[in-house]
Amino acid sequence: LLLLAGAAGPEVKYLRRWARDAGVSLHTVIDAGGGVQLADAPVALTAASLDRFDIVVLDERSWSALGEGQRAALQGAVRRGLGMLLRVNAALGEPERQRLRWLGFAARGGGDSATVRLADASRDVDALRARLGPGTRDAPRRRDEPVPLAPLLTRRTLQIAASDALPLMRDASGASLGVWRAEGRGRVGIWNLTDTYRLVLAGRDDLHAQLWGQALATLARAQAVRPLDIEGERRPGERIALCGVAKDARVVAPDGTSTSLRIDPATAARRCAAFFPRDAGWHRIHSGKQTQLFHVRAPDAAPGLHANAVQQATLRLATQPVAGFDPRQGTQPMRHPGPRWPWWLAWLLASGGLWWLERSRIGRRV
């Protein structure tokens, strides 16, 4: 993610914090004016440098400050698959509207602001509390604490139209809060929300993450990465199988402990490795250039799900057919005992014969 901002503010601050918590690789360039740039090192907007990013987020000030060559390089990168999100935080002049026409959008209005309330689709209070989590050390959340309401946000009254535009997201009333359109192999979106950071300040980190995650997932460069398969119940001390991993794969536990994975050669093309988590919480798999998160439940969490998983595993084990060794699956044949009554009958006959021999007079002198 490449973030270009015309000024430092709370919107940029909390966007950077969300990207860091979400594990998104972020490069930020803030133009403080007078040729001074803050945050990370400046990036030359060339075809080679832009192809290293999946999406570019910039506001109207940084978009207007680009030169013709930089703007042409950015548009060319979008046609090759780069995503672009333009944040409109202020009224647009005629030059900015003309540049939006180059992107395929026609803009009207935008001189005023209006309030908007986001749609909160979740009705399950327990699920919302689980998504919000326990809070931080400085601002902890109690388990029975009421879920705060989403605050009112502000948007520019900018009307954006395009013949092939689609809504980026909608508010509680169904009104569009942004639009996007395809440009070559990439996508370009325009966003008119100005203060999404108020969600974090009001205690609704989940809505802030959902808002930005949905927008960036819609516009970002398409990835042909297949998610890793995780088989087994994810609890401390229980074996799980991580399939599709690379040779240098490793798992990072919540406490930062890194464990290297060893691929079982018997799994062949599936490339599975066994892992025994020691702690509950979010774990991170690093496999080549791919990173994936998975959650391990606490030992006493969701006892009904645990009982159901044990029952299903027992049923699969009991109904597994007898077969020879399969090197592709890495499983040994199960040995089912035969009927027991022939052995009982043989024991009964042998015992009866010995008893008769003991009681008989064969071989004794009269």
Side-chain angles (χ1 to χ4, degrees), residues 129 167 183 247 260 329 333 337 350:
R129 289 173 179 166
E183 180 70 20
K247 291 183 179 180
S260 300
Q329 300 293 336

Side-chain angles (χ1 to χ4, degrees), residues 206-220:
D206 60 322
L207 286 180
H208 182 266
Q210 178 181 346
L211 197 68
W212 281 102
Q214 178 183 349
L216 298 188
T218 303
L219 302 176

